[in-house]
């Protein structure tokens, strides 16, 4: 069985991490398939929303601890010199860039809504993968934490970028320095996740949430995402200049005309 599944259900693409016996910890195969799945979501015009989740009782445990203990790096030993996470500092740096770091770079290119359906524990790089999504819908049974401190390493996949932008610098540093695990309720209180729902209602809640998105004006939804993301790194003047261009495009888009006609009928 493939270690990552891409399940397309109409205009929704589900990325399912599929190493349940390893709590969906990373492997080389999983990372390669993840990159391919994100590329397909980005490029396929029929896909409107992407959903990331895990098989079994975990969302994602991040790096494979057993592989690290065995001295094989956090996605296991491979025979490819370009996937060498253990030999030298330069090998580690280059392997991160060629593998796991391609995921946040691809996520940044996707204007379609990306939803994390956190069905179970999300730890370390597994939590970081959820933070890369736009919305995080979390089971009440899930637990979330940044466990890097326990392995004596720093987040190498973008966690140090996403975490403070999600919960603030002080809370991000506290999570990273302590390695403390949060309950779903605690995660919601600190804005680490967007919604917490009963475990048995997770899939239905996510399905209803996504249904509203796929039935909305797609171009405008994607433009809104880009406006917000770009605005995070712009000055006010730059943001206003950028959004004026997006507004000019949206005013002449058919979605705007449809919305006006709908308002007239009310």
């Amino acid at each position: 069985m493939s270690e990552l599944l891409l399940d397309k259900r109409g205009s929704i693409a589900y990325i399912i991490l599929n190493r349940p016996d390893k709590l969906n910890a990373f492997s080389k195969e999983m990372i390669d398939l993840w990159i391919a799945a994100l590329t397909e979501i980005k490029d396929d015009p029929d896909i409107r929303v992407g959903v990331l989740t895990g098989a079994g009782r975990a969302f994602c445990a991040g790096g494979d601890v057993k592989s690290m203990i065995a001295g094989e790096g956090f996605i296991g030993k491979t025979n490819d010199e370009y996937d060498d996470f253990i030999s030298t500092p330069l090998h580690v740096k280059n392997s991160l860039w060629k593998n796991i770091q391609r995921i946040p770079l691809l996520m940044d290119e996707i204007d379609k809504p990306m939803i994390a359906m956190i069905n179970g524990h999300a730890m370390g790089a597994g939590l970081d993968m959820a933070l890369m999504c736009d919305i995080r819908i979390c089971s009440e049974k899930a637990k979330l934490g940044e466990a890097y401190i326990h392995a004596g390493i720093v987040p190498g996949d973008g966690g140090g970028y996403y975490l403070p932008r999600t919960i603030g610098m002080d809370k991000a540093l506290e999570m990273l320095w302590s390695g403390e695990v949060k309950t779903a309720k605690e995660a919601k209180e600190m804005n680490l996740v967007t919604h917490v729902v009963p475990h048995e209602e997770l899939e239905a809640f996510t399905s209803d949430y996504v249904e509203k998105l796929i039935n909305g004006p797609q171009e405008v939804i994607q433009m809104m995402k880009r406006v917000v993301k770009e605005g995070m790194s712009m000055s006010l003047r730059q943001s206003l200049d950028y959004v004026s261009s997006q507004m000019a495009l949206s005013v002449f888009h058919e979605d705007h005309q449809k919305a006006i006609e709908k308002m007239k009928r009310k």
Side-chain angles (χ1 to χ4, degrees), residues 26 60-63 122-131 144-148 155 157 159 176:
F26 295 156
C60 181
M123 298 294 168
L127 174 55
D128 297 340
M129 296 297 114
L131 294 176
L144 306 93
E146 294 286 13
Y148 297 100
D157 59 351
L176 289 165

Short mmCIF file of all heavy atoms in Angstrom, two decimals, residues 26 60-63 122-131 144-148 155 157 159 176:
data_model
loop_
_atom_site.label_atom_id
_atom_site.label_comp_id
_atom_site.label_asym_id
_atom_site.label_seq_id
_atom_site.Cartn_x
_atom_site.Cartn_y
_atom_site.Cartn_z
N PHE A 26 7.26 10.58 8.78
CA PHE A 26 7.80 10.78 7.43
C PHE A 26 8.61 9.57 6.95
O PHE A 26 9.28 8.90 7.72
CB PHE A 26 8.71 12.00 7.39
CG PHE A 26 8.03 13.31 7.64
CD1 PHE A 26 8.76 14.39 8.12
CD2 PHE A 26 6.68 13.47 7.42
CE1 PHE A 26 8.15 15.62 8.35
CE2 PHE A 26 6.06 14.68 7.65
CZ PHE A 26 6.81 15.76 8.12
N CYS A 60 -0.02 13.13 12.12
CA CYS A 60 1.36 12.97 11.65
C CYS A 60 2.33 13.16 12.81
O CYS A 60 2.26 14.16 13.52
CB CYS A 60 1.66 13.96 10.53
SG CYS A 60 3.34 13.80 9.85
N ALA A 61 3.22 12.18 12.98
CA ALA A 61 4.22 12.25 14.05
C ALA A 61 5.47 13.01 13.62
O ALA A 61 6.40 13.14 14.42
CB ALA A 61 4.58 10.84 14.50
N GLY A 62 5.51 13.48 12.36
CA GLY A 62 6.69 14.22 11.89
C GLY A 62 7.82 13.29 11.54
O GLY A 62 7.64 12.26 10.90
N GLY A 63 9.03 13.65 11.98
CA GLY A 63 10.20 12.82 11.68
C GLY A 63 10.11 11.46 12.35
O GLY A 63 9.52 11.32 13.43
N ALA A 122 -0.60 15.43 16.34
CA ALA A 122 0.23 16.15 15.36
C ALA A 122 1.44 16.68 16.11
O ALA A 122 1.32 17.59 16.93
CB ALA A 122 -0.56 17.29 14.73
N MET A 123 2.59 16.10 15.85
CA MET A 123 3.79 16.41 16.63
C MET A 123 4.94 16.89 15.75
O MET A 123 5.15 16.37 14.65
CB MET A 123 4.24 15.16 17.40
CG MET A 123 3.22 14.65 18.40
SD MET A 123 2.97 15.84 19.75
CE MET A 123 1.51 15.15 20.52
N GLY A 124 5.68 17.86 16.25
CA GLY A 124 6.87 18.33 15.56
C GLY A 124 6.56 18.76 14.14
O GLY A 124 5.69 19.60 13.88
N ALA A 125 7.26 18.16 13.19
CA ALA A 125 7.05 18.49 11.79
C ALA A 125 5.65 18.14 11.33
O ALA A 125 5.14 18.72 10.37
CB ALA A 125 8.08 17.79 10.92
N GLY A 126 4.99 17.20 12.03
CA GLY A 126 3.61 16.89 11.70
C GLY A 126 2.69 18.06 12.00
O GLY A 126 1.79 18.38 11.21
N LEU A 127 2.91 18.72 13.12
CA LEU A 127 2.16 19.94 13.44
C LEU A 127 2.48 21.03 12.44
O LEU A 127 1.59 21.77 11.99
CB LEU A 127 2.47 20.40 14.86
CG LEU A 127 1.88 21.75 15.29
CD1 LEU A 127 0.37 21.78 15.11
CD2 LEU A 127 2.26 22.06 16.73
N ASP A 128 3.75 21.14 12.07
CA ASP A 128 4.14 22.17 11.10
C ASP A 128 3.42 22.00 9.77
O ASP A 128 3.06 22.98 9.11
CB ASP A 128 5.66 22.13 10.87
CG ASP A 128 6.45 22.44 12.13
OD1 ASP A 128 5.87 23.04 13.06
OD2 ASP A 128 7.64 22.07 12.19
N MET A 129 3.19 20.75 9.36
CA MET A 129 2.46 20.51 8.12
C MET A 129 1.03 21.05 8.21
O MET A 129 0.49 21.57 7.24
CB MET A 129 2.42 19.01 7.81
CG MET A 129 3.77 18.37 7.54
SD MET A 129 4.62 19.01 6.09
CE MET A 129 6.03 19.79 6.84
N ALA A 130 0.44 20.93 9.40
CA ALA A 130 -0.91 21.47 9.60
C ALA A 130 -0.88 23.00 9.58
O ALA A 130 -1.81 23.64 9.07
CB ALA A 130 -1.49 20.97 10.92
N LEU A 131 0.18 23.58 10.13
CA LEU A 131 0.29 25.04 10.17
C LEU A 131 0.43 25.64 8.78
O LEU A 131 0.10 26.81 8.57
CB LEU A 131 1.49 25.46 11.03
CG LEU A 131 1.40 25.13 12.53
CD1 LEU A 131 2.70 25.50 13.23
CD2 LEU A 131 0.22 25.84 13.18
N LEU A 144 -1.30 18.19 20.28
CA LEU A 144 -0.41 18.89 19.37
C LEU A 144 0.81 19.40 20.12
O LEU A 144 0.68 19.94 21.24
CB LEU A 144 -1.14 20.06 18.70
CG LEU A 144 -2.46 19.72 17.98
CD1 LEU A 144 -3.64 19.91 18.93
CD2 LEU A 144 -2.65 20.59 16.74
N GLY A 145 1.98 19.26 19.51
CA GLY A 145 3.18 19.74 20.17
C GLY A 145 4.35 19.90 19.23
O GLY A 145 4.38 19.30 18.15
N GLU A 146 5.29 20.71 19.64
CA GLU A 146 6.55 20.89 18.90
C GLU A 146 7.64 20.17 19.69
O GLU A 146 8.12 20.66 20.70
CB GLU A 146 6.89 22.38 18.77
CG GLU A 146 5.90 23.17 17.91
CD GLU A 146 6.06 22.89 16.42
OE1 GLU A 146 6.75 21.91 16.05
OE2 GLU A 146 5.48 23.64 15.62
N ALA A 147 7.99 18.97 19.23
CA ALA A 147 8.83 18.07 20.03
C ALA A 147 10.32 18.15 19.69
O ALA A 147 11.09 17.31 20.15
CB ALA A 147 8.33 16.64 19.83
N TYR A 148 10.72 19.14 18.92
CA TYR A 148 12.11 19.20 18.46
C TYR A 148 13.11 19.23 19.61
O TYR A 148 14.19 18.66 19.52
CB TYR A 148 12.31 20.43 17.58
CG TYR A 148 11.49 20.43 16.32
CD1 TYR A 148 10.32 21.17 16.22
CD2 TYR A 148 11.89 19.70 15.21
CE1 TYR A 148 9.57 21.18 15.07
CE2 TYR A 148 11.15 19.70 14.04
CZ TYR A 148 9.98 20.44 13.98
OH TYR A 148 9.24 20.43 12.83
N PRO A 155 13.40 23.14 14.18
CA PRO A 155 12.44 22.81 13.11
C PRO A 155 13.04 23.15 11.75
O PRO A 155 13.36 24.30 11.47
CB PRO A 155 11.22 23.68 13.44
CG PRO A 155 11.73 24.76 14.32
CD PRO A 155 12.89 24.21 15.07
N ASP A 157 11.60 22.46 8.69
CA ASP A 157 10.64 22.36 7.60
C ASP A 157 9.78 23.61 7.44
O ASP A 157 8.86 23.63 6.63
CB ASP A 157 9.71 21.17 7.85
CG ASP A 157 8.96 21.31 9.18
OD1 ASP A 157 9.29 22.22 9.96
OD2 ASP A 157 8.05 20.51 9.44
N GLY A 159 8.60 25.27 10.43
CA GLY A 159 7.89 25.48 11.69
C GLY A 159 8.25 26.79 12.36
O GLY A 159 7.40 27.46 12.94
N LEU A 176 8.29 25.76 21.56
CA LEU A 176 9.52 25.15 21.04
C LEU A 176 10.51 24.84 22.15
O LEU A 176 11.13 23.77 22.17
CB LEU A 176 10.15 26.08 20.01
CG LEU A 176 9.42 26.20 18.67
CD1 LEU A 176 9.93 27.39 17.88
CD2 LEU A 176 9.55 24.92 17.85
#
